[in-house]
Every structure is written in structure tokens, then in C-alpha cells.
Amino acid sequence: MNILFVRLSYIGDILHATPAARWIKEHYPEAKLHWIVTPSMVELLQGNPYVDEIIPWERDEYEAHSKKLHIPTMWRMWWELRDKLKPYKFDVAVDVQGRLITGLVLLASGAPIRLGLGGTKELNWMFTNYKAKPSTDHVIKRYIEVAKLLNTAVVEHSGLTTSTTVIADDEKPCIVNGSNGKRLYHMDFFVPSDLHAWAENQWESINYDTSLNRGEVDKPLRIGLVLGTSWATKEWPQEKWYSLIKSLQYRANFVCLGGPKEATQYKPLMDSITADGLDKIMLNMLGKTTLQEVGALIESCDVVVTADTGALHIALALNKPVVALFGPTDPKLWGPLTGNFKVLVNDELDCLGCRKRRCPKPDQYCMSGIESVRVKKAIFELIGDKHGKV
């Protein structure tokens, strides 16, 4: 059985879909699962034992032409995709994204059996013939419900050549590296082994710094700070990051993670850190890493602090202790399900989870109202006091 798995982008969304792909491969081990994804996201799936082949497709380019109504170019790109997928002779296509563009990918796949989400917009429903019930549950659970439609499809289509394997541990606790929660919902991300030494080399420049009085700490704590998100409303203010770093300077080293956008956006924070001499205990990796290198650095940390952005889910997939800061997005839908984590929100507000990219209130209070002292406390609640008292 040849399966096309469709979740095109982006970091968190793709990682949210990995449990569904794993469910398919564990229950139908003889099936070949091919994942179609935006080229910039290929790294997220490399080394994943539940993905037999990664198929890159320029989703962003297609969408750019779509927004400008470049119909001839869109038509040409769709036919090129169809020709690219035709040799695979897909039996099943699984769409967990539920948009018009992914529906068009299903159509291009030629698969007669097409599984998808129920209650979708953008006419996506026209392209699927098996639909999961509409749900407001966590996105990982919704994706798995789509994957489980394969059981019904196999029963109803005797032509599908496959054998099933009974997996009895879906509901067992996920206990890898102390992770909490059900294994069924745990995300997958795999760091290449050669990057472990690379990450350690990055820390070497600050691990033995003695210019600061470390007090009772023999080996400083390693804290990953994920700066910036795709929405301005999800970002924790720079002065809060600075306050957190200052409060932990005598017991921790830090790595700042983010892309080229954050390298520019957070220059004021980096300048303040340098002015105070804190750059001696800081790895500034903004705009300097690949996705797998981000994973390697996160894996080398003792704890990670992040807002709702892709690296949050990389950290969870790697079973690292995580302090997650949420505001305009609902952690019940998009936040952690497994792992060792603390979710912090400004619970004084009744507008949390508004999903607005522009806040109508002054100072974007849902995020600025999360004080650095709360984050510091959450860090030590997660990892204990072996690195010094709070």
C-alpha cells in the first residue's frame, strides 16, 4: 500500500502531524509512507523511521502565485506536481492540513482513497472521501483521528494489499527521558548523531568562564531561549527576556535561538547583553543554525524557555523540560501534550486564545503580563534546585 501523507508546513504543524504518521506505520508496517512537505521543512523529517520518503514541493511558491491570481503558473505547477506523483501510484492520500491547497495535492496524487479532516473550509471537503468528525480537540488528536480512518478504508477496499499489526501500547505512558503523557501523542524529531559533538563544541567557549561569581554552582545550568515567533502578538517582550537573563546570570549559561528575522529584531536585546558583559555567558545563535542544529542545541540544554513557536515543539519532541509562554493562542489546542513542561499564561485576562495577530489592547498585555520571576520559578519547579536555590 502506497500512502501520500500531506502536511506541507510549518515547524510546529509538521511536528504535530508526526504522531499520526507514526500511527500509520506502526499499524500498517508494510505500507510505504511518503510525506510531501515544503522544501525548507525537509530537515524536520530526515531520520524519521516512520517516513519512507520525503517529497519536497514548492508550496510557498504556489501560494505566492495564488495570492496574485497567476492562474497559468498555478495550473502549470499543479500539472508538474501531478506528473511528479503519478509514478508512485498512490493507493491512499492522507490530508491532515485541511486547506484548498492540500486538497489540490490530494487530487494530483491520483489516490482513489483520500482521508481528511471534517469541518474544513476553503472547499477542502470536496477532495476527501473519508472524513474525521469535526472536533475542537488538540490538533495532534485531530490528526490521529484522520489517520485512524485508514482502518475503515482498508475494510471497505479489499483491493488494498496490506497486513495490520496490533499495537497495544497506544495508551501507555510515554516515559522516554522522563516524559509524561501518552506515547500516542508524542511528537517525533531526530537529531543526527554527528551534531551532538557540534553542539557541545558551541558550549565550550562559555562552559568554563570564571569571570562571574557562580556561587555554589560547579557547572552552570544551560538554558535555551527561543526568541521571536511568527506573530508579533505571541512574542514575549525583550525587556522580560533581559530580566530573566539578569536574574539567572550567576547560575546559568544561555543560548539564544531564532532565525534571521530574530537576528535583526532582537539586536537591542543582544546589545544590552553585551553592554553588561553578559555576552560571556551567552551563545547568540540567531540566524546561524539549520533546523537540525537548533535541535542539537536544544537537546544539549537543561531547560528551554519559549513562546508558542516551532522550536517549542522541537523541544517537546526531544523530551526537554520546557517553560511555554502562551497568549493569543490556546495551549489546549496547540500547546504541549507530552513531556516535562509548564505552560504560563496571564490568567488575569479573559481574552486569552483570541488568535489575533494585532492586539487592540495597550502593551499586548497577555504576553507582557507574564513576569520573568514566574518564568524563573517555573524553571526550577521543572528541574529541581540542583543548580542553586531560586
Side-chain angles (χ1 to χ4, degrees):
M1 179 166 56
N2 260 0
I3 299 174
L4 180 67
F5 193 90
V6 185
R7 178 68 247 199
L8 301 175
S9 58
Y10 286 105
I11 299 174
D13 304 304
I14 291 169
L15 292 177
H16 282 150
T18 55
R22 183 178 69 244
W23 186 94
I24 291 172
K25 284 293 293 182
E26 288 188 337
H27 287 76
Y28 297 90
E30 294 180 6
K32 298 296 182 183
L33 190 143
H34 312 258
W35 192 317
I36 186 167
V37 68
T38 303
S40 60
M41 298 291 110
V42 165
E43 274 190 272
L44 287 174
L45 300 173
Q46 288 174 338
N48 189 322
Y50 308 108
V51 179
D52 293 290
E53 183 178 350
I54 305 168
I55 302 175
W57 183 57
E58 289 289 354
R59 173 258 192 197
D60 290 343
E61 181 182 345
Y62 185 91
E63 290 247 296
H65 288 296
S66 174
K67 290 177 181 178
K68 296 178 181 179
L69 294 179
H70 293 168
I71 304 301
T73 304
M74 294 168 61
W75 184 250
R76 173 182 57 79
M77 289 187 68
W78 184 85
W79 275 97
E80 289 174 351
L81 176 63
R82 183 177 180 272
D83 291 341
K84 182 177 184 176
L85 298 180
K86 188 175 181 179
Y88 290 93
K89 298 180 180 179
F90 288 113
D91 303 294
V92 179
V94 182
D95 176 11
V96 297
Q97 193 162 342
R99 293 189 56 197
L100 175 59
I101 188 172
T102 53
L104 292 171
V105 172
L106 294 188
L107 186 63
S109 75
I113 301 170
R114 300 182 299 276
L115 319 180
L117 293 159
T120 54
K121 301 178 181 178
E122 299 186 1
L123 301 179
N124 176 268
W125 56 270
M126 294 177 58
F127 300 95
T128 55
N129 45 31
Y130 288 86
K131 298 175 179 63
K133 293 180 180 178
S135 171
T136 57
D137 213 333
H138 194 285
V139 64
I140 291 177
K141 296 181 179 181
R142 280 183 269 167
Y143 291 172
I144 289 173
E145 289 306 308
V146 175
K148 288 183 176 181
L149 292 172
L150 189 56
N151 287 338
T152 303
V154 166
V155 170
E156 295 182 356
H157 295 266
S158 58
L160 288 178
T161 56
T162 186
S163 62
T164 62
T165 298
V166 177
I167 303 295
D169 62 349
D170 275 353
E171 301 301 315
K172 289 183 179 179
C174 177
I175 57 174
V176 179
N177 290 342
S179 175
N180 298 313
K182 294 178 180 177
R183 178 184 180 277
L184 176 63
Y185 304 139
H186 190 72
M187 297 175 288
D188 293 318
F189 182 79
F190 300 88
V191 175
S193 57
D194 61 308
L195 288 181
H196 297 149
W198 172 85
E200 287 302 315
N201 286 337
Q202 304 309 307
W203 286 105
E204 281 185 3
S205 62
I206 60 175
N207 264 351
Y208 302 104
D209 180 82
T210 57
S211 61
L212 292 174
N213 177 15
R214 296 292 186 171
E216 301 175 3
V217 179
D218 295 326
K219 185 177 181 181
L221 182 66
R222 293 178 177 180
I223 301 179
L225 307 176
V226 182
L227 309 181
T229 73
S230 57
W231 300 5
T233 50
K234 294 195 294 184
E235 293 170 355
W236 203 37
Q238 296 195 32
E239 62 269 21
K240 303 292 183 180
W241 286 114
Y242 179 80
S243 177
L244 178 67
I245 294 166
K246 283 287 289 182
S247 70
L248 292 166
Q249 63 177 312
Y250 297 112
R251 68 184 75 181
N253 292 335
F254 304 89
V255 57
C256 287
L257 300 169
K261 176 180 79 72
E262 284 74 31
T264 300
Q265 179 183 353
Y266 285 85
K267 188 176 183 302
L269 174 61
M270 295 298 108
D271 288 346
S272 296
I273 287 171
T274 300
D276 276 3
L278 298 178
D279 54 319
K280 297 177 181 178
I281 58 170
M282 174 71 69
L283 286 174
N284 179 0
M285 303 302 289
L286 299 176
K288 302 176 183 178
T289 54
T290 65
L291 289 176
Q292 289 186 337
E293 287 171 345
V294 167
L297 287 167
I298 284 176
E299 197 166 46
S300 69
C301 289
D302 296 300
V303 64
V304 176
V305 181
T306 173
D308 180 17
T309 191
L312 160 66
H313 308 291
I314 292 177
L316 292 168
L318 294 172
N319 297 302
K320 304 307 296 186
V322 175
V323 179
L325 315 179
F326 274 75
T329 50
D330 187 349
K332 293 179 181 177
L333 301 178
W334 311 99
L337 272 183
T338 65
N340 185 17
F341 59 85
K342 292 276 186 182
V343 173
L344 301 184
V345 300
N346 181 4
D347 46 19
E348 295 178 0
L349 303 179
D350 58 4
C351 56
L352 296 175
C354 68
R355 292 194 61 78
K356 291 181 179 178
R357 300 194 180 209
R358 289 188 178 183
C359 180
K361 297 184 177 182
D363 300 323
Q364 193 182 305
Y365 194 56
C366 67
M367 295 301 292
S368 65
I370 302 175
E371 298 298 336
S372 60
V373 67
R374 287 186 62 198
V375 178
K376 179 181 175 182
K377 181 180 179 182
I379 287 172
F380 288 97
E381 286 175 347
L382 283 174
I383 65 173
D385 62 358
K386 62 181 179 180
H387 293 277
K389 296 180 180 179
V390 178

